[in-house]
Amino acid sequence: MGEEVKLIGSIQSLFSFRIEWALKLKGVEYEYIKEDVRNKSPLIFKYNPVHKKVPVLVHGGKPLPESLVILEYIDETWKDCPLLPEDPYERAMARFWAKYCDEKIWQAYMAEGEEKEKAMGPALESLAFLEKEIKGKKFFGGEKIGFLDLAVGWIPHWLNVLEEVGSMKLLDAEKFPSLHEWAENFIQIPPVKECIPPREELVSYFHSALIYLRSLSANKP
Amino acid sequence: MGEEVKLFRSWSSPFALRIVWALKIKGIEYETVFEDLSNKSPLLLQYNPVHKKVPILVHNGRPIAESFVILEYIDETWKQVPLLPEDPYERAKARFWAKFGDDKVLTSVWNVFIKQGKEQEEALVAAMENLKFLEEEIKGKKFFGGERIGYVDLVLGLLANLISICEEIIGLKIVDEEKLPLLYSWMQDFAEAPIIRDNWPPRDKMIVKFQALLDAAIASSSSSSSSK
């Protein structure tokens, strides 16, 4: 029968969506519990006392935070539709690039002025890698969606929101034609298309998030 | 014929030490390539063009960077003496704590080391909050991996060496035996484990290095505050 699966997530968290897509791709039934990250419920403090963030997967009552950790857990627990490749070296490459892309593009979005110029380099480098990786393939996972597709799957819908809010241009269709094409394909896939949040809501959220995040760093000694 | 395993490291990099420990625990033969990080070799830049850092594991000519990624690769490629647990939930917890160690614990301990006065007091409070999570996690176990050293021990293990070096330099207790008895005990047990004990970098060289890092951090923070 299987144990109960719950996903505590939020429209405001692009990391939550990775988990929804993974669960849907693998045909895992789950209950979605909506959190407002600006007004956190006791549930988040209970299930993620360390970071107090979404997403959190709760499987059979056992909680698990951190989206990339959750993705690996999902892949190891439900074997249908594998996300990570079989070969250890290919797995290492998927993990390396997932981590790198997460860090670098986010840094570029948060930065201002001179820091932004510096942050753009690594952000563009990660897109350049993805461009090279996707050439000749439909998805990063090959014919089917894989771990890296899910890890960078926020790019198609969220990146241009971050670009608009963070005043930066990264995913240029001329510079990164294959990546651009992948983005168009990815967004059409049923599990992804089903849960895409409205753009205006994202713009408004990320705009206020950016102001808040930058004020935190400005106040640091 | 045998496989070719090379590890690019520096004499002091705590992240590279994780890989040394993992390879030795599994009894894997490998060649060490020492890098001078102030004068990086063309090979390092070729093998890790993205980060240009150590450690890099090169297995049969294929390079892998980032210590967590390397540790998982090692565990998946050489199955003896597993580092990660078998159960998917326990594995996930191990990955979670490893990430917490690097992202939060290391950063907060570093802040205690480089800050002064009131800021240092605040940094110590923040570090204690993080260390208390580890204290809770080690309860009832000798190592984070259970009876023997595992993935989380290898990732957090640099604390067993660096914390006492930082404490000696700044004259301040970070992991107090009274306040964090289990973590303190783990640090002793880990540091004394045969493979670990035999591979620490020379302590006197580390003290000199970290004193220099502290001096540089103080100099850069006072110059930035005076230019405001």
Side-chain angles (χ1 to χ4, degrees):
Chain A
M1 197 194 90
E3 292 172 313
E4 203 185 42
V5 180
K6 297 187 198 204
L7 173 62
I8 306 174
S10 158
I11 276 186
Q12 299 132 341
S13 160
L14 54 86
F15 304 107
S16 286
F17 286 90
R18 293 174 171 162
I19 312 306
E20 281 205 88
W21 299 332
L23 292 170
K24 286 184 194 292
L25 276 169
K26 287 183 178 264
V28 178
E29 294 212 5
Y30 64 100
E31 180 196 339
Y32 184 81
I33 298 173
K34 206 162 136 179
E35 269 289 321
D36 178 351
V37 301
R38 286 168 292 199
N39 186 17
K40 293 175 185 177
S41 79
L43 213 55
I44 273 301
F45 292 98
K46 173 182 172 194
Y47 283 136
N48 190 1
V50 175
H51 298 297
K52 309 165 186 56
K53 286 183 183 172
V54 294
V56 181
L57 187 79
V58 187
H59 184 204
K62 297 194 283 193
L64 200 51
E66 290 296 313
S67 63
L68 293 179
V69 174
I70 299 172
L71 279 185
E72 296 233 26
Y73 174 77
I74 287 173
D75 212 24
E76 289 171 2
T77 305
W78 293 279
K79 307 276 192 192
D80 271 346
C81 208
L83 302 173
L84 275 168
E86 270 210 45
D87 175 68
Y89 188 75
E90 299 303 319
R91 291 162 78 86
M93 291 301 104
R95 287 174 176 136
F96 175 89
W97 286 107
K99 185 174 190 275
Y100 183 72
C101 294
D102 259 10
E103 286 167 6
K104 297 308 171 188
I105 299 182
W106 200 249
Q107 277 168 16
Y109 149 71
M110 278 213 23
E112 286 178 284
E114 227 181 82
E115 289 295 317
K116 195 178 211 65
E117 291 294 316
K118 279 204 289 191
M120 291 290 286
L124 285 167
E125 202 171 72
S126 48
L127 292 182
F129 161 77
L130 293 175
E131 174 74 14
K132 206 168 106 192
E133 232 349 71
I134 196 71
K135 251 191 187 77
K137 295 198 289 200
K138 186 169 184 196
F139 299 112
F140 292 100
E143 273 308 298
K144 298 196 289 167
I145 286 185
F147 185 81
L148 193 50
D149 294 276
L150 293 185
V152 301
W154 56 272
I155 287 176
H157 191 59
W158 278 260
L159 184 55
N160 79 43
V161 171
L162 294 185
E163 285 171 337
E164 179 182 321
V165 170
S167 314
M168 58 184 188
K169 187 74 190 137
L170 287 174
L171 187 46
D172 192 317
E174 278 183 27
K175 285 200 190 123
F176 305 110
S178 307
L179 190 59
H180 198 258
E181 193 181 327
W182 164 83
E184 305 276 291
N185 283 335
F186 185 82
I187 215 95
Q188 295 305 323
I189 294 167
V192 174
K193 200 168 172 183
E194 275 167 37
C195 33
I196 289 292
R199 193 175 186 279
E200 318 77 58
E201 212 180 306
L202 289 182
V203 170
S204 144
Y205 169 70
F206 278 103
H207 188 71
S208 47
L210 185 57
I211 294 174
Y212 173 67
L213 288 169
R214 280 182 180 164
S215 74
L216 283 183
S217 356
N219 288 334
K220 274 193 192 132
Chain B
M1 199 192 93
E3 301 166 358
E4 194 192 49
V5 181
K6 290 191 194 185
L7 174 63
F8 284 69
R9 60 175 289 205
S10 66
W11 71 269
S12 63
S13 162
F15 308 108
L17 260 188
R18 293 170 174 165
I19 314 305
V20 170
W21 295 330
L23 291 169
K24 286 189 187 290
I25 282 175
K26 287 187 180 261
I28 299 163
E29 293 209 10
Y30 67 99
E31 180 194 333
T32 300
V33 179
F34 277 103
E35 284 283 331
D36 173 359
L37 296 178
S38 62
N39 185 20
K40 293 173 184 176
S41 74
L43 214 51
L44 184 157
L45 299 175
Q46 177 197 324
Y47 282 144
N48 189 1
V50 171
H51 297 297
K52 308 173 179 58
K53 287 181 180 174
V54 293
I56 305 168
L57 188 80
V58 184
H59 183 208
N60 292 333
R62 296 197 296 185
I64 304 165
E66 289 295 295
S67 63
F68 288 6
V69 177
I70 299 172
L71 285 176
E72 295 237 22
Y73 176 80
I74 288 174
D75 215 26
E76 288 171 2
T77 305
W78 293 278
K79 309 272 194 195
Q80 68 274 26
V81 196
L83 302 173
L84 277 167
E86 259 208 59
D87 172 70
Y89 187 68
E90 295 303 317
R91 288 163 79 83
K93 274 178 40 180
R95 289 174 178 132
F96 173 83
W97 288 112
K99 190 169 194 286
F100 175 71
D102 263 11
D103 289 351
K104 300 283 181 189
V105 177
L106 211 54
T107 310
S108 58
V109 166
W110 182 249
N111 282 338
V112 175
F113 181 59
I114 60 168
K115 293 201 187 286
Q116 320 289 307
K118 185 144 200 315
E119 282 177 11
Q120 188 180 57
E121 283 171 27
E122 288 166 1
L124 191 58
V125 170
M128 278 302 287
E129 269 177 37
N130 290 328
L131 291 166
K132 281 205 181 111
F133 282 118
L134 295 184
E135 178 81 4
E136 192 57 39
E137 187 50 28
I138 193 89
K139 237 179 213 144
K141 298 190 286 198
K142 183 176 185 188
F143 297 111
F144 289 96
E147 272 309 296
R148 58 179 182 82
I149 285 175
Y151 180 81
V152 179
D153 300 279
L154 294 185
V155 169
L156 298 179
L158 53 84
L159 294 174
N161 184 232
L162 291 187
I163 283 194
S164 76
I165 288 171
C166 292
E167 286 174 342
E168 184 176 320
I169 293 174
I170 61 175
L172 183 65
K173 236 2 185 158
I174 302 174
V175 177
D176 191 315
E177 190 177 358
E178 281 184 28
K179 297 190 181 143
L180 297 164
L182 302 176
L183 198 59
Y184 183 85
S185 179
W186 167 80
M187 279 167 51
Q188 311 305 308
D189 287 339
F190 183 82
E192 283 302 303
I195 283 172
I196 311 300
R197 184 190 57 211
D198 297 336
N199 288 289
W200 290 122
R203 192 181 171 83
D204 47 353
K205 265 179 98 175
M206 288 291 273
I207 299 264
V208 168
K209 178 185 166 123
F210 273 77
Q211 181 68 66
L213 286 173
L214 177 59
D215 295 341
I218 293 176
S220 82
S221 73
S222 59
S223 69
S224 62
S225 54
S226 63
S227 64
K228 274 195 186 130

